[in-house]
Amino acid sequence: MATIGLDKLYYAKITENENGVETYGTPSQLAKAISADLSVELNEATLYADDGQAEIVREFKSGTISLSVDDIGHDIIADLVGAVVDSNGVLISGESDTANPVAIGFRAKKSNGKYKYFWLYRVLFNIPATNLATKGDGITFSTPTIEGTILRRNKLDASSKHPWKAEVTESESTKSIIEDWYDAVYEPAYVGIPAQEGE
């Protein structure tokens, strides 16, 4: 079903242990969302046998996300791209700034009024692009766009896989999950296997 809206854009900072295993911080709002474009790149291999395709394997390689938002605060930019806010509240970007991985959560409204909820488990953002224009006869809004690379997370889930995205559609059966969606980054749960806690 088609989506007709986008809102509740959140991010959660990631800390890593010596093995790169992620622990997620408490989610907080990133900005007011205008649009989100997400694309995925797959690794693909085909095995040929008996003059035909015997097996095809497709695995997630990486993805990209482009977020258009109303504004991004200095503290949030610092969290995302490794810039620094100085003692006067001025954002300082340096040549050696390194992006910090974060989890990104948001929801999209469907045409039936229900919502689809998402968490992207590990995203590395580039420096936000800014479009500026002088004021003319009409009013034109200039808003920032920030692009990131989506990666699988290092931390294994309870089924020993490296997830890159969690997605759920609003329904009666998912009500309790959605109520807590922005309290913490969603951890996969499987029948008979308890969800893992942060390490």
Side-chain angles (χ1 to χ4, degrees):
M1 185 172 291
T3 58
I4 59 173
L6 174 71
D7 68 351
K8 297 198 71 142
L9 178 61
Y10 278 64
Y11 77 105
K13 295 169 68 174
I14 291 175
T15 55
E16 301 176 356
N17 67 14
E18 64 277 4
N19 297 317
V21 174
E22 299 91 346
T23 299
Y24 298 102
T26 302
S28 56
Q29 188 168 17
L30 193 156
K32 292 182 179 179
I34 297 172
S35 67
D37 296 319
L38 190 150
S39 61
V40 173
E41 184 177 352
L42 300 175
N43 283 325
E44 182 174 320
T46 303
L47 174 67
Y48 290 90
D50 284 345
D51 295 332
Q53 295 178 342
E55 291 185 47
I56 298 176
V57 176
R58 293 185 179 94
E59 294 181 346
F60 173 80
K61 180 180 179 182
S62 66
T64 59
I65 185 167
S66 179
L67 296 172
S68 180
V69 297
D70 67 331
D71 195 13
I72 306 177
H74 285 175
D75 290 338
I76 295 173
I77 292 176
D79 284 344
L80 299 182
V81 302
V84 176
V85 179
D86 73 6
S87 57
N88 294 315
V90 177
L91 181 69
I92 307 298
S93 297
E95 62 181 12
S96 59
D97 291 348
T98 302
N100 302 309
V102 295
I104 296 294
F106 54 93
R107 69 178 188 174
K109 189 174 185 180
K110 300 169 64 178
S111 57
N112 64 358
K114 302 290 186 180
Y115 285 90
K116 186 178 286 190
Y117 290 76
F118 299 85
W119 273 111
L120 303 176
Y121 283 113
R122 188 179 178 92
V123 180
L124 286 172
F125 280 105
N126 299 324
I127 297 170
T130 304
N131 300 309
L132 304 174
T134 190
K135 184 177 178 182
D137 292 336
I139 297 174
T140 301
F141 289 104
S142 296
T143 57
T145 299
I146 186 164
E147 295 186 354
T149 300
I150 303 164
L151 304 168
R152 69 172 200 175
R153 74 179 190 184
N154 297 320
K155 179 183 175 183
L156 293 170
D157 66 15
S159 69
S160 298
K161 295 182 180 178
H162 298 275
W164 66 274
K165 179 180 73 167
E167 177 181 333
V168 66
T169 299
E170 183 180 6
S171 67
E172 280 302 314
S173 63
T174 62
K175 187 174 180 181
S176 61
I177 296 169
I178 287 170
E179 286 175 350
D180 300 331
W181 197 252
Y182 294 103
D183 293 342
V185 176
Y186 179 78
E187 186 63 37
Y190 301 95
V191 175
I193 307 175
Q196 294 183 347
E197 301 297 328
E199 297 184 21

